[in-house]
Amino acid sequence: MAKVFISYRDSGDELRRRLVNELYDHLQRRGHAPFLDKRELHGGSHWSKEIFERIEESDALVVLVTKDGASRWVQREVDYARACRVGIVPVVMLTTDLVMDPETGSDPAAEMMNALEMHGIHYEKALTSVDNPESRFADVVSAIETMVTRTRQDQKAWVDRLTGKIWKDKDASNLLLQPPKPTVARRATYAYFLTDIKPHSTTIYLGGGDITEVSQIDVLVNSENTYMQMQRIFERASVSKSVRWKGAQGISVNDAYLIQRDLVQEELYREIFDNGKFTPVGLGTVIVTSAGDVQGKLVQQGFKYVFHVAAVPAHPVRGEEKLDPSQAEKIGECVLNCLARFDALAREEGRPPIRSIVFPILGTGNAGLDLDIATVEIINAIKQYLSSTDATRLEAITLMPFREGEIRKVANLMDLHLRRVNHP
């Protein structure tokens, strides 16, 4: 028996609903356990949480391939299945989706496959023109049953690799999988080029460890709550706390650092209140400050600016709140806004030149998003920005997961979504 997640775009189209229900019913008759949101989720269900949990448990994810069938949610489900090492089976059911458009030179099925970045994946046909259900769905069922063993093998191999039970020879020379050095930004062998439009000179790197300890990067992105209140210095470790502490003005006495001016938080408030703004700010808002005291650690390491981006919702009574997975696109908005602010700042006259920016994995700390979901949103936002920008001053974008296990997971997602090149 295979657990099968059925993914499709529900735009109110009765034809699509009929098609996926026919597939659902046939899989049940064959003794499999399909999941279809409209059939399985009822009132009171935590919809998005249930969706992602079902994908994690699945042996295969079946995607209905139709004209205009791509959507942000279908893309998210496909990306999450990839991250969970769940096999993907695209299915075409309408003959019209295989008819080539003479102007574009492609058919609707191919266009959707490209939109969902399912390059190189073979789709199965279950065309409505075939009357006998057994014949119609035979190839689909065969692909699903083949996928069961492959999915479980892939998942076991990846878990073993993450936990160190398997360490392939090529891993030893892969910069992405080396233990992180806490004071040095580890640069990955990845670059992203827009081959469908024109080459981009921007390189995307993967670092590791404490984001405030890297050097020679111009802009540090700090994930902040919507009240723009930085974490207190005596509380648990976070990017916000480290930026506040390392950007403060103070003196060292014995083993203690005595703070005289809380420079970064003070400047952050001035940027808001002196400009007639209010808190809470909206999710995705970016406020720019300096990196604090000129003698402080952040400035000495080369940081010129800190971009404080509102990635964590906060409430005056309930405190900081978690982002629901259905709100994951807000992380993409945070990244887009940071990149746009970077280029706007880089073009301002009289400013010191800036060429590089470093991001933590936004949304995974106090906002509570799964690492895989947040990382895919960040990568897709970077790709969207670079593909829509004619000229950018960005030369380097670095992603900085903190723990070693997180670094390896992010490396896996970069492999799926970016083209790897050798670092010079």
Side-chain angles (χ1 to χ4, degrees), residues 86-149:
V86 174
I88 299 170
V89 181
V91 177
V92 179
M93 292 191 177
L94 298 175
T95 306
T96 53
D97 289 322
L98 298 174
V99 177
M100 183 174 293
D101 185 331
E103 293 184 4
T104 64
S106 64
D107 56 63
E111 290 176 358
M112 178 175 170
M113 295 281 286
N114 288 332
L116 295 178
E117 297 184 346
M118 294 194 291
H119 314 293
I121 300 179
H122 174 72
Y123 61 69
E124 303 295 340
K125 298 177 185 177
L127 300 177
T128 54
S129 57
V130 179
D131 294 329
N132 185 313
E134 287 297 326
S135 300
R136 179 184 170 194
F137 292 109
D139 290 342
V140 176
V141 172
S142 176
I144 290 171
E145 291 174 349
T146 301
M147 199 66 74
V148 173
T149 302

Side-chain angles (χ1 to χ4, degrees), residues 292-364:
D293 184 36
V294 293
Q295 299 300 321
K297 191 164 187 178
L298 294 182
V299 173
Q300 294 301 310
Q301 288 170 200
F303 288 114
K304 297 181 176 72
Y305 299 102
V306 177
F307 284 11
H308 306 264
V309 61
V312 183
H315 187 274
V317 176
R318 297 187 297 270
E320 291 185 333
E321 299 180 317
K322 304 294 184 186
L323 282 174
D324 188 273
S326 63
Q327 298 174 290
E329 62 188 39
K330 294 294 184 183
I331 297 304
E333 291 176 15
C334 289
V335 174
L336 288 171
N337 292 343
C338 285
L339 297 178
R341 189 71 184 89
F342 181 99
D343 272 329
L345 195 66
R347 293 188 179 97
E348 289 184 13
E349 293 186 6
R351 295 276 190 179
I354 53 175
R355 300 180 180 85
S356 55
I357 188 169
V358 58
F359 286 90
I361 307 302
L362 298 170
T364 57

